[in-house]
C-alpha cells in the first residue's frame, strides 16, 4: 500500500459514506494510537558503503534463468540461491488518481504523469535508467501493469517517450515489451505484476480492489496467460505476481477459501495453474489479503496478509514454483488503514509505533513464518513492497521504522522489493520523495546515493547484508489438497485424461508426489515427495472396492479401499465426506508388504517429527498421516456407529 495517508483517509471516508446509505455506522474511532508503542527516533547511520555496481554483462553472468524454489529459497536454473534484491518500476499501472484530465499533473500521483508507461521514459533513455538500477544494487525488477494496458491499442503520445524516440508510435503494451526486453538483456530478472484493472492509481476504493473488479475472473486469467505466452521465450522474465493488494470494496470483503466469487485463495489457485500450464518455468507469486472489514471502531477490520496460509496454502501443478509475498509500510498497521484522521482512521497501532522487537514479531506473524521449513506452507516470502519518504522527510517515527524494518529483512535474509524506483525531480526537489532514482526534464539523475537522502545507510546495509549463497539442497515438500468446495486436481497427467471418479469430489497430488495423509470428514488430504520421487511407469488404477485387499485384514469390520501391490495412492475421491475411490500409481521403487494401520477415528495420528508435523492442514478435523518413509496404500471407513463412511484409518507401508 504505497499510497499516502491522505489516500487511505479518502478511501475510508468514501467507504463509510456508502455504507451509511444502508446501515448505521459504529462510533468513529479515536485518532489517537492505542496499544504498546515504541519510542520514535532517527535511523542509525551505519557507515555502510554503497554496493559495487554490476554491469549488465556481469549481472547476466551471475545467474541463469528460469527460477524456481527449494524450501524457503528462490534458486536459479543451476540450483544456486537467487535472492530477489528488487525494486518496483511503477507507471504502467497508471498514475491518474480518478478525477479531472488524465494528462494534468495535478490529477496524477505525486504530480507525475506516466502516460500508463514505466515512469521516466519521457525524461531519460532506458539505458540511463537501467544504469541507475545497477548502481542501486538491485538484480530484479517488479514491473506493474494494468489489465487495461493489454487491451489498449492507441499509440502512446510522442511526449511520453521523448527521451526514447525509438518507442514513438507504439502502444503501451509494445512499450512495455521494449522495457522488458531491455531489462532482461541487461541481466535483470523481471517479475510481471498485475497491479490494477484500469489505469487508475490504486489503492483505496478505486475499482481495482480485487482481481475481478471491473472484469471477470476468466478475463483476468486469460490476460495472464496471454502475457505469459508473450514472454515465454525470455527466461529472465521469471515470475507472475498475480494481483496487488487485494482489499474490500464498498460492499464485500475478499476471503480465503469460502469458494465464492470473492475467494482470493481459489482465484490464485486457478490463475497459478493456468499460468504453469502455459509456461511451467514461471514463478507464481501470491499476496495474501491486504485489507478486510470497515475501518471504524465497532467493526471487524484488519490486514491479515499471509496469516490464512497457516491453514490453507496453495498446491500448484509444479512443485518449486510458489512464492508468497507481503507489503509493509510504516504508516499502516496490522489493523490500521494508514488514515491520519477522520472516518477512515482507527486507533490501532501502526507498524512504526512498535518497538523493533515488537515489529519483528508482527512481521513474522504476518509473513515470515511461511519460510519455516517442513510445513505444508513452506515457501519463499518476498516483501514486494516497502518504503518511506526520503529526501526532505523529517518524520522521525518513519525514519526509525525504516531502519528497524530493513534490519529485520537483513537479519532474516528476506527477499525484497522497494517502492518505487523511479520518480521525477525539479532542481533537486523530488515530486515523490519515496523514489530512489529521480530524473528532471533534462534527464539529469538524482539518486539515493547522492548527498541528502537519509535512507542511504539503511538501504546500503540491506543490499549488502550477508546472505546465503551457492547451491541450495533440494527440500521435500508437503502440500495439501483442498476438496472443501470441489475438485482439486493438480496432476498434469490426470488433467489430460477423462474424469477418473465421476460424480465425486476428487483430489490428485502433483505428479511426482504421493498421498500421505487424509482428514476425517472434510475432504482435505496431504501429499509429499519426501524420500524420493514415488511414481513409475505403467497404468494408474481407480479403486472403488476391496478386490486388491491382500496380506491380511488390516481393519477388521471396516470397508477398505486398497491399492494393488506395487502401487501407492496419489489421489482420492469423496462423496459428501465419505470415501468413494482411491487413485493408485505404480511405485518407482520396490514396495514392501509390511503394514501399519494408522487409526484416526478418535484423534490425530500423525508423525511426531517431519511430515509437516508443526502445521495444521485440516483445522478442526482428525488427521491420519503416514510417516515420511512410508506410503499410503489403503483407506478404511465404515457406515456403522454413525461414522458416515468418512476415513477412519490408513494403511501405511514402508517405501522400498
Amino acid at each position: 500500500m504505497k499510497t499516502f495517508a491522505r489516500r487511505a483517509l479518502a478511501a475510508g471516508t468514501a467507504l463509510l459514506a456508502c455504507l451509511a446509505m444502508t446501515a448505521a455506522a459504529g462510533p468513529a474511532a479515536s485518532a489517537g494510537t492505542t496499544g504498546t508503542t515504541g519510542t520514535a527516533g532517527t535511523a542509525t547511520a551505519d557507515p555502510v558503503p554503497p554496493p559495487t555496481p554490476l554491469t549488465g554483462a556481469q549481472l547476466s553472468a551471475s545467474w541463469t534463468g528460469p527460477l524456481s524454489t527449494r524450501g524457503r529459497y528462490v534458486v536459479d536454473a543451476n540450483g544456486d540461491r537467487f535472492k530477489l534484491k528488487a525494486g518496483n518500476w511503477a507507471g504502467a499501472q497508471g498514475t491518474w488518481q480518478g478525477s479531472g484530465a488524465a494528462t494534468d499533473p495535478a490529477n496524477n500521483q505525486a504530480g507525475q504523469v506516466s502516460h500508463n508507461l514505466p515512469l521516466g521514459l519521457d525524461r531519460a533513455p532506458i539505458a540511463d535508467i537501467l544504469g541507475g538500477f545497477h548502481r542501486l544494487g538491485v538484480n530484479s525488477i517488479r514491473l506493474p501493469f494494468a489489465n487495461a494496458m493489454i487491451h489498449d491499442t492507441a499509440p502512446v503520445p510522442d511526449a511520453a517517450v521523448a527521451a526514447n524516440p525509438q518507442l514513438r508510435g507504439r502502444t503501451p503494451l509494445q512499450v512495455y515489451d521494449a522495457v522488458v526486453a531491455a531489462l532482461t538483456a541487461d541481466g535483470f530478472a523481471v517479475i510481471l505484476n498485475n497491479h490494477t484493472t484500469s489505469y487508475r492509481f490504486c489503492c483505496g476504493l478505486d475499482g481495482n480492489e480485487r482481481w475481478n473488479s471491473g472484469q471477470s475472473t476468466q478475463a483476468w486469467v486469460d490476460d495472464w496467460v496471454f502475457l505469459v505466452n508473450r514472454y515465454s521465450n525470455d527466461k529472465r522474465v521469471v515470475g507472475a505476481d498475480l494481483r496487488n493488494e487485494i482489499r474490500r470494496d464498498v460492499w464485500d470483503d475478499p476471503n480465503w477459501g469460502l469458494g465464492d466469487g470473492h475467494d482470493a485463495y481459489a482465484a490464485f489457485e486457478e490463475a497459478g495453474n493456468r499460468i504453469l500450464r502455459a509456461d511451467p518455468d514461471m514463478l507464481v507469486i501470491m499476496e495474501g489479503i491486504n485489507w478486510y472489514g470497515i475501518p471504524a471502531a465497532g467493526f471487524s477490520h484488519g490486514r491479515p496478509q499471509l496469516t490464512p496460509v497457516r491453514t490453507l496454502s496453495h498446491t500448484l501443478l509444479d512443485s518449486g514454483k510458489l512464492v508468497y509475498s507481503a507489503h509493509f509500510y510504516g504508516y499502516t498497521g496490522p489493523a490500521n488503514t494508514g488514515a491520519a484522521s477522520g472516518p477512515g482512521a482507527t486507533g490501532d497501532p501502526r507498524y512504526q509505533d512498535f518497538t523493533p522487537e515488537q515489529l519483528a514479531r508482527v512481521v513474522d506473524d504476518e509473513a515470515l513464518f511461511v519460510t519455516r521449513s517442513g510445513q505444508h506452507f513452506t515457501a519463499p516470502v518476498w516483501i514486494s513492497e516497502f518504503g518511506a519518504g526520503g529526501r526532505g522527510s523529517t518524520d522521525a517515527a518513519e525514519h526509525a521504522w525504516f531502519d528497524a524494518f530493513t534490519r529485520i529483512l537483513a537479519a532474516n535474509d528476506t527477499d525484497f522489493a522497494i517502492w518505487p524506483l523511479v520518480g521525477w525531480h525539479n532542481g533537486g526537489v523530488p515530486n515523490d520523495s519515496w523514489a530512489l532514482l529521480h530524473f528532471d526534464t533534462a534527464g539529469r539523475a538524482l539518486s539515493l546515493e547522492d548527498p541528502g537522502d537519509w535512507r542511504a545507510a539503511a538501504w546500503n546495509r540491506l543490499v549488502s547484508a550477508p546472505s546465503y549463497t551457492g547451491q541450495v539442497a533440494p527440500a521435500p515438500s508437503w502440500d495439501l489438497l483442498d476438496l472443501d468446495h470441489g475438485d482439486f486436481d493438480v496432476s498434469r497427467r490426470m488433467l489430460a485424461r477423462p474424469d477418473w471418479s465421476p460424480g465425486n469430489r476428487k483430489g490428485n497430488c502433483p505428479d511426482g508426489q504421493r498421498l500421505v495423509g487424509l482428514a476425517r470428514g472434510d475432504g482435505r488430504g496431504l501429499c509429499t515427495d519426501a524420500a524420493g520421487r514415488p511414481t513409475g511407469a505403467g497404468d494408474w488404477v481407480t479403486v472403488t472396492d476391496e478386490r486388491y485387499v491382500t496380506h491380511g485384514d488390516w481393519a477388521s469390520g471396516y470397508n477398505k479401499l486398497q491399492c494393488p501391490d506395487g502401487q501407492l495412492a496419489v489421489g482420492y475421491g469423496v462423496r459428501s465426506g465419505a470415501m468413494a475411490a482411491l487413485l493408485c500409481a505404480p511405485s518407482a521403487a520396490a514396495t514392501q508388504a509390511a503394514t501399519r494401520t494408522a487409526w484416526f477415528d478418535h484423534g490425530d495420528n500423525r508423525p511426531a517429527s517431519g511430515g509437516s508435523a508443526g502445521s495444521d492442514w485440516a483445522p478442526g478435523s482428525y488427521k491420519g498421516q503416514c510417516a515420511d518413509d512410508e506410503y499410503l496404500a489403503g483407506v478404511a471407513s465404515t457406515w456403522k456407529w454413525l461414522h458416515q463412511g468418512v476415513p477412519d484409518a490408513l494403511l501405511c507401508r514402508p517405501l522400498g
Side-chain angles (χ1 to χ4, degrees), residues 358-516:
Q358 291 168 336
L359 180 63
R361 288 193 294 270
V362 169
V363 172
D364 183 78
D365 181 65
E366 291 190 333
L368 298 188
F369 73 91
V370 174
T371 63
R372 295 191 187 115
S373 63
Q375 313 301 324
H376 70 82
F377 48 70
T378 302
V381 169
W382 183 36
I383 305 302
S384 56
E385 285 190 27
F386 73 102
R391 197 177 303 274
S393 167
T394 59
D395 186 338
E398 187 173 63
H399 291 199
W401 172 84
F402 189 81
D403 182 74
F405 186 73
T406 53
R407 289 180 186 276
I408 291 168
L409 297 182
N412 286 279
D413 197 6
T414 301
D415 300 73
F416 59 85
I418 197 165
W419 180 279
L421 284 175
V422 179
W424 295 358
H425 80 93
N426 181 20
V429 178
N431 284 48
D432 180 358
S433 70
W434 288 51
L436 271 60
L437 183 64
H438 311 267
F439 294 94
D440 67 8
T441 55
R444 290 183 290 260
L446 178 66
S447 173
L448 173 85
E449 298 303 338
D450 293 323
D453 196 318
W454 66 268
R455 299 170 299 175
W459 173 258
N460 292 337
R461 184 180 64 241
L462 173 61
V463 174
S464 303
S467 297
Y468 183 89
T469 59
Q471 279 282 305
V472 177
S477 296
W478 289 273
D479 296 299
L480 69 82
L481 300 178
D482 169 30
L483 276 63
D484 291 358
H485 304 290
D487 289 355
F488 200 98
D489 189 350
V490 284
S491 162
R492 289 179 180 273
R493 176 188 178 107
M494 297 312 294
L495 284 169
R497 285 166 169 72
D499 189 339
W500 62 271
S501 187
N504 301 316
R505 304 198 319 276
K506 293 163 289 296
N508 300 331
C509 294
D511 296 339
Q513 294 194 21
R514 67 186 184 278
L515 189 65
V516 72

Side-chain angles (χ1 to χ4, degrees), residues 174-255:
Q174 290 168 338
V175 173
Y176 193 87
D177 291 341
V179 168
V180 168
L183 285 166
T184 59
D186 224 32
F188 294 100
V190 172
I191 294 172
L192 314 172
N193 163 239
N194 179 221
H195 212 78
T196 53
T197 303
S198 70
Y199 282 136
R200 183 174 174 180
F201 188 76
C202 79
C203 296
L205 290 176
D206 51 24
N208 296 306
E209 295 87 355
R210 291 191 303 274
W211 64 95
N212 55 1
S213 296
Q215 62 189 349
S216 68
T217 297
Q218 182 65 48
W220 172 68
V221 174
D222 288 347
D223 279 353
W224 263 121
V225 172
F226 170 83
L227 269 191
V228 166
N229 283 329
R230 192 175 185 89
Y231 302 124
S232 62
N233 292 328
D234 189 342
K235 297 309 173 187
R236 294 193 190 276
V237 180
V238 299
D241 184 352
L242 295 182
R243 186 70 179 189
N244 185 71
E245 295 187 4
I246 290 171
R247 55 199 181 274
R248 182 188 175 93
D249 62 16
V250 173
W251 303 113
D252 297 298
D253 282 322
N255 68 77

Side-chain angles (χ1 to χ4, degrees), residues 20-42:
M21 288 186 271
T22 57
S30 167
T33 301
T34 61
T36 306
T37 61
T39 302
T42 57

